[in-house]
């Protein structure tokens, strides 16, 4: 079930930690992609797109942290 579909009181700590870990790891992957695109291909617009995705996923991890802990 989606983290957004569950109420704060219905979510246990393990599910919250898993959601946070998922968003942080996904963010790290996108940051790595952004770095490789920019350094290897000089594709700044494409690299900035992946950087944007990385930051968005970190914000989601922060949101889950604030909402559920």
């Amino acid at each position: 079930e989606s983290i957004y579909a569950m109420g704060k009181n219905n979510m246990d700590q393990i599910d919250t930690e898993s959601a946070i870990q998922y968003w942080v790891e996904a963010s790290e992957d996108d940051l790595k992609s952004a770095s490789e695109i920019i350094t290897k291909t000089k594709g700044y617009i494409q690299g900035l797109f992946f950087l944007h995705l990385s930051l968005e996923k970190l914000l989601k991890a922060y949101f889950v942290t604030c909402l559920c802990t």
Side-chain angles (χ1 to χ4, degrees):
E1 189 170 352
S2 167
I3 190 162
Y4 299 107
M6 299 177 75
K8 181 177 178 181
N9 296 329
N10 296 334
M11 181 171 283
D12 64 20
Q13 192 64 26
I14 294 172
D15 290 334
T16 300
E17 290 174 6
S18 295
I20 294 167
Q21 181 179 356
Y22 169 81
W23 289 120
V24 169
E25 289 176 1
S27 173
E28 290 170 350
D29 289 342
D30 288 343
L31 182 59
K32 185 177 178 182
S33 295
S35 178
E36 289 180 8
I37 290 168
I38 291 170
T39 57
K40 292 181 180 178
T41 69
K42 304 296 184 212
Y44 298 107
I45 293 173
Q46 295 83 356
L48 287 173
F49 175 74
F50 276 90
L51 181 59
H52 168 264
L53 292 177
S54 176
L55 292 171
E56 187 175 286
K57 289 172 184 173
L58 276 180
L59 285 172
K60 289 178 182 180
Y62 178 74
F63 174 78
V64 171
T65 301
C66 291
L67 180 67
C68 300
T69 58

